[in-house]
Amino acid sequence: MATVSSPVRVRFAPSPTGFLHVGSGHSALANWLVARQTGGEFLLRIEDTDAERNRPELVDNVLEMLQWLGLQWDGTPVHQSERGALYADAAASLERAGATYHCDCTGEAVQARNKAAGGKPGYDGFCRDRGLEAGPGRAVRFRTPDEGRTGWTDLVRGEVSFANEDLEDFVVVRGNGAPMFLLANAFDDADMGITHVIRGEDHVNGTPKYLLLVDALGLARPTAFAHMPLLVNEGRKKLSKRRDDVSMADYRARGYLPEAMVNYLALLGWGPADGVEVRPVEEIVERYRLEDVNASPAFFDQKKLSFVNAEHIRALSSAAFQERARPFLTRGDPAAEALASLATEVQERVRTLTEVEPMIEFLVVEEPTMDEASWAKAITKGKAVPEMLDASIARLEALDPEAWVPERIQEAIGRAAIDAGLVNAEGGPQLSKAQGPVRVAISGRTVGPPLWESITVLGRARTLARLRHTRGRLG
RNA sequence: GCCCCCAUCGUCCAGCGGCCUAGGACGCCUCCCUUUCAAGGAGGUAACACGGGUUCGAAUCCCGUUGGGGGUGCCA
């Protein structure tokens, strides 16, 4: 299959009926990648011809999410709602060419006839030859050919074609005068000079009608189409707003990095030849090939997304990591300062930015929130817990306040372990056992950043107070 | 129902007629490292849906079957 090389002119055409969804993001990304790669243009068109469903405020969400992802579009977004006259002209030209007719059938009437005729869906052509004039409430239908085939070369699917006899006479203008999706969509693509139509697989069935319309309008067909694989859930069903986690804004709120989202989305349906999956977007722009995109549906795997996100988090400089985490710190500046003191340790341990704060929270709050499971594991079921806490208090207290550094603290805890009888075969301290009660006492949890560093940052007074408090609870 | 599409490990991707006793990644499991958890290192688990062709040779090409998905609106 030919490679897309000369500059393309592509578009992302969302309908503002919902928040930007990871599936639309996937299609938008494919368009953007190809535009950037070929030095072409990535245009935006808001398909808001349905005044009743249209929610203008959702346009903001779509634009904001595209910007968040870094998918900057070229020029000003086109709004179909402002182009009614153009569609009316197109419809008039269709009528002059005899390509359309007026229809006054109601949906119920069509259904009833279909049922009587054996239950096949679609319009039956009832008004085709009735010669109805235009009139209020009357829709305009396109007269599809009765024979022949309509097809195209799809960059991801190869040759695709439909028998014209299977294509019903579809509506191009509604009874209220509003243009239908297919008319506005096909007309605009030609009018905007779109060379490559890249969109989801759910548009495959509408493509022959689109093509018939473009031809009847005397406009040029796009150079190529590419129907991207659908993104599916664990049940292998198309991702849906109702049952799946698909809102791009939610992923942002849950601490995913836009570069990780873009990286992961690019991996759905495609993979770089060198096998390096996690990489900067510029490298994906260079390597992406529409012709190599798979036609089969891809499962949107949040576990892998998390892995990719963790990799991108670790790739950040410490300063950048702290800056990116800042909006997720609900406890403000104190939390930011706490993070600064343990940044590299935390950065290596989180998969999303929302996991940052819980890891340093013990440094910010008065008293750490005690995790019940951790208490049960390290305190209730721990070995020589009272002894270990007593010894830690004694050893840490004896430590020169000037020497409150990780190395000295490790030594002190090591001695405390030996005092408490937590020794290994060589007579050394059994640190893995010894650190449990201390960690829970100071942070409330069994997992967290390295202990010696945590104690160093917590400070002498607070560390001793928390150890004593926990010791006190044991009686 | 009809039309269209899809079919390699649980998942994503590689494979485009011999290099495949099928490779990488996520996940899961084991071990190492280790103050917890991560990270890192070493292993392991696991797939060409089925049946016919074509060919000296098929995961790769063709046909069929089965399975899955999408569409089937005066929504986009």
Side-chain angles (χ1 to χ4, degrees):
Chain A
M1 213 169 284
T3 294
V4 178
S5 53
S6 48
V8 299
R9 200 170 155 89
V10 296
R11 47 64 168 187
F12 174 54
S15 161
T17 53
F19 292 128
L20 186 75
H21 164 305
V22 293
S24 343
H26 184 244
S27 294
L29 174 61
N31 278 283
W32 181 84
L33 286 170
V34 173
R36 290 294 165 268
Q37 177 179 86
T38 62
E41 288 176 279
F42 174 57
L43 308 177
L44 212 53
R45 185 172 73 227
I46 307 302
E47 308 223 316
D48 52 359
T49 52
D50 187 346
E52 286 162 30
R53 296 177 178 231
N54 189 23
R55 307 269 315 277
E57 65 280 13
L58 293 175
V59 173
D60 298 337
N61 171 273
V62 172
L63 301 190
E64 189 186 339
M65 286 303 112
L66 288 175
Q67 272 169 326
W68 176 68
L69 289 167
L71 308 186
Q72 186 56 54
W73 55 92
D74 297 304
T76 309
V78 168
H79 288 257
Q80 290 189 326
S81 55
E82 295 165 0
R83 293 162 63 85
L86 260 17
Y87 310 130
D89 285 351
S93 121
L94 250 18
E95 178 160 17
R96 279 195 303 276
T100 56
Y101 59 88
H102 297 276
C103 169
D104 66 355
C105 296
T106 60
E108 300 79 70
V110 174
Q111 262 185 10
R113 285 198 302 270
N114 285 345
K115 196 170 178 185
K120 39 187 170 183
Y123 186 63
D124 59 356
F126 186 78
C127 295
R128 223 178 204 217
D129 302 309
R130 288 176 68 204
L132 256 30
E133 295 294 317
R138 287 182 181 171
V140 179
R141 286 185 184 273
F142 185 84
R143 192 188 304 270
T144 58
D146 298 325
E147 36 192 63
R149 300 188 69 82
T150 301
W152 69 95
T153 300
D154 197 291
L155 258 22
V156 345
R157 276 151 225 278
E159 298 299 318
V160 182
S161 72
F162 289 71
N164 292 149
E165 61 179 329
D166 292 328
L167 269 21
E168 64 179 319
D169 286 352
F170 56 96
V171 173
V172 292
V173 179
R174 300 203 264 170
N176 66 7
M180 284 290 288
F181 161 71
L182 246 8
L183 175 63
N185 186 257
F187 172 82
D188 279 339
D189 281 347
D191 190 60
M192 292 165 73
I194 299 304
T195 61
H196 291 64
V197 175
I198 305 168
R199 62 216 311 195
E201 188 194 341
D202 42 352
H203 289 288
V204 168
N205 294 270
T207 304
K209 294 174 181 173
Y210 170 112
L211 256 11
L212 253 16
L213 230 26
V214 170
D215 292 350
L217 252 10
L219 299 170
R221 290 185 174 197
T223 308
F225 285 86
H227 287 95
M228 302 293 291
L230 247 24
L231 262 34
V232 300
N233 60 23
E234 47 291 311
R236 299 241 123 224
K237 297 266 195 281
K238 178 167 81 160
L239 248 30
S240 101
K241 204 192 311 185
R242 293 197 50 177
R243 76 176 167 234
D244 307 304
D245 269 347
V246 296
S247 160
M248 198 62 86
D250 285 350
Y251 283 92
R252 176 176 64 174
R254 280 153 57 192
Y256 289 91
L257 261 27
E259 57 268 47
M261 182 57 84
V262 162
N263 190 159
Y264 178 63
L265 249 17
L267 258 18
L268 258 20
W270 173 83
D274 63 7
V276 178
E277 298 189 318
V278 177
R279 64 201 320 162
V281 66
E282 307 78 62
E283 294 185 15
I284 296 172
V285 168
E286 279 172 33
R287 294 156 204 266
Y288 196 76
R289 291 289 177 277
L290 221 35
E291 301 79 0
D292 292 338
V293 170
N294 279 325
S296 37
F299 172 57
F300 186 80
D301 185 356
Q302 296 197 34
K303 280 191 173 165
K304 184 142 184 181
L305 202 214
S306 290
F307 163 78
V308 173
N309 200 56
E311 291 280 295
H312 280 276
I313 284 177
R314 286 189 289 265
L316 258 20
S317 68
S318 181
F321 167 62
Q322 292 176 59
E323 195 183 315
R324 306 284 292 268
R326 182 62 237 243
F328 294 85
L329 266 20
T330 64
R331 296 179 189 276
D333 290 341
E337 283 169 35
L339 176 58
S341 65
L342 241 33
T344 55
E345 287 82 1
V346 172
Q347 183 173 183
E348 195 174 88
R349 290 171 168 75
V350 296
R351 291 168 83 81
T352 62
L353 262 14
T354 49
E355 291 172 7
V356 173
E357 188 160 64
M359 214 159 271
I360 46 103
E361 199 174 44
F362 74 100
L363 291 169
V364 184
V365 296
E366 274 304 307
E367 280 301 318
T369 311
M370 191 55 63
D371 172 59
E372 293 305 323
S374 294
W375 178 273
K377 187 179 173 195
I379 306 293
T380 309
K381 293 184 187 165
K383 246 178 80 180
V385 174
E387 293 82 353
M388 184 59 210
L389 290 174
D390 284 335
S392 298
I393 292 166
R395 289 292 184 178
L396 253 16
E397 218 166 20
L399 199 59
D400 175 1
E402 296 299 307
W404 195 258
V405 295
E407 299 71 36
R408 294 282 92 74
I409 288 166
Q410 174 173 359
E411 275 174 29
I413 299 291
R415 293 212 174 92
I418 292 171
D419 295 344
L422 296 171
V423 294
N424 59 27
E426 291 83 46
Q430 209 175 10
L431 292 175
S432 58
K433 284 246 167 41
Q435 62 95 39
V438 176
R439 179 182 291 282
V440 171
I442 68 150
S443 74
R445 320 199 306 170
T446 50
V447 302
L451 226 213
W452 327 139
E453 284 74 7
S454 296
I455 290 176
T456 303
V457 175
L458 222 209
R460 189 169 194 271
R462 287 197 290 176
T463 300
L464 287 170
R466 290 182 188 186
L467 287 171
R468 288 197 183 99
H469 178 74
T470 299
R471 179 64 184 87
R473 284 184 64 182
L474 300 178

